[in-house]
Amino acid sequence: MAERRLTKWRRALALAGAVLLSLGLSPYLLRQLEFFRVRRVEISGLHYLEASRIVAALKLSRTASVFDDPDPLERRIRALPGVMEADVGRRVPGTLSLTLREAAPVALAPAGGRLALVDSAGAVLPFDPLESAPDLPVLIGGGASVAGALSRARDYDPSLFARIDAAWRVGPDVVFEVGGRRLWFGAELTAEDIRAVTAVEQALARQGRSFEELDGRFTGQVIVRRSRA
């Protein structure tokens, strides 16, 4: 019964807010009303950063209103390391709704004696891998070129990306370790390169034939090696 009364009260507040809006009151006048003070912040799109950091970055005053200009709030959120995009909306009478897009990590990499999350440029992200526990490959070496190759693999073939255990660079080329086997690619691997290598991998599996390496660095062919190069 108490919950039902609370729900009715919330609906009444929302209806009252809609009525005020329909009267054409200016945002300036609406901001002066305590009725529209921010009482709740909802965040969507949050995967790695802590919600408390987002709320703190907003720097909301006690008199903050849902009708305040959202641009300064969005700039503060976008200034946070790891945030790519931010959009601030409102739901009357007192809720701010934030939609974020965080930088997407592509690998775990050694940094300062620990493992850190890195993006497609090989830059360390301010996310704690112990908190988010992402299932990502380990970038052993190669920096931006290997991180970029992993990013393209994720975009072109998510199922392959999910199977990559580690990645590193050998000269100008990139090696992915998948289930104890190695897949070789040029640094600028393409969707076609990945399709060619995975097609050979699947054909060998159907035939029950083993291999240690598949080399997709050569246009129009994939080299199968029974032992590692």
Side-chain angles (χ1 to χ4, degrees):
M1 182 65 71
E3 179 63 29
R4 184 178 301 174
R5 285 197 296 268
L6 183 59
T7 300
K8 288 182 177 179
W9 180 80
R10 288 172 177 166
R11 288 176 180 171
L13 285 178
L15 179 59
V19 170
L20 288 173
L21 288 174
S22 69
L23 293 176
L25 295 181
S26 71
Y28 173 79
L29 293 176
L30 293 172
R31 284 197 293 270
Q32 311 312 309
L33 300 178
E34 186 175 351
F35 182 73
F36 294 117
R37 296 285 183 259
V38 175
R39 293 180 289 275
R40 179 183 177 89
V41 177
E42 295 180 348
I43 306 173
S44 61
L46 197 62
H47 302 288
Y48 303 102
L49 289 170
E50 295 180 359
S52 58
R53 289 191 62 189
I54 303 298
V55 174
L58 288 171
K59 298 181 180 178
L60 296 172
S61 69
R62 291 184 177 181
T63 59
S65 168
V66 295
F67 288 100
D68 288 340
D69 184 359
D71 289 347
L73 303 179
E74 292 173 353
R75 285 196 296 269
R76 291 169 194 162
I77 299 302
R78 284 195 292 266
L80 284 173
V83 175
M84 303 299 291
E85 295 178 2
D87 180 72
V88 176
R90 61 173 171 258
R91 190 170 69 251
V92 295
T95 300
L96 282 183
S97 58
L98 278 61
T99 303
L100 308 181
R101 183 171 70 84
E102 296 171 306
V106 299
L108 291 158
R114 62 183 181 87
L115 284 177
L117 293 167
V118 298
D119 64 13
S120 59
V124 173
L125 294 168
F127 306 146
D128 185 353
L130 296 179
E131 291 291 333
S132 54
D135 186 11
L136 292 171
V138 176
L139 195 160
I140 297 175
S145 64
V146 179
L150 285 169
S151 177
R152 290 191 292 279
R154 179 190 59 194
D155 295 340
Y156 298 150
D157 190 338
S159 63
L160 170 63
F161 179 77
R163 295 189 293 122
I164 299 173
D165 300 312
W168 60 91
R169 188 174 68 186
V170 177
D173 303 317
V174 173
V175 179
F176 294 159
E177 183 162 287
V178 178
R181 295 165 174 166
R182 294 179 178 178
L183 309 182
W184 288 70
F185 296 98
E188 300 300 323
L189 83 161
T190 65
E192 182 56 37
D193 295 334
I194 291 176
R195 281 194 293 268
V197 168
T198 54
V200 171
E201 180 189 30
Q202 292 164 6
L204 291 172
R206 287 194 299 270
Q207 297 165 13
R209 297 168 59 189
S210 63
F211 67 91
E212 287 295 321
E213 294 185 349
L214 296 179
D215 194 334
R217 292 176 291 175
F218 308 100
T219 303
Q221 62 179 323
V222 175
I223 296 174
V224 180
R225 297 192 182 97
R226 308 297 178 188
S227 60
R228 294 183 177 180

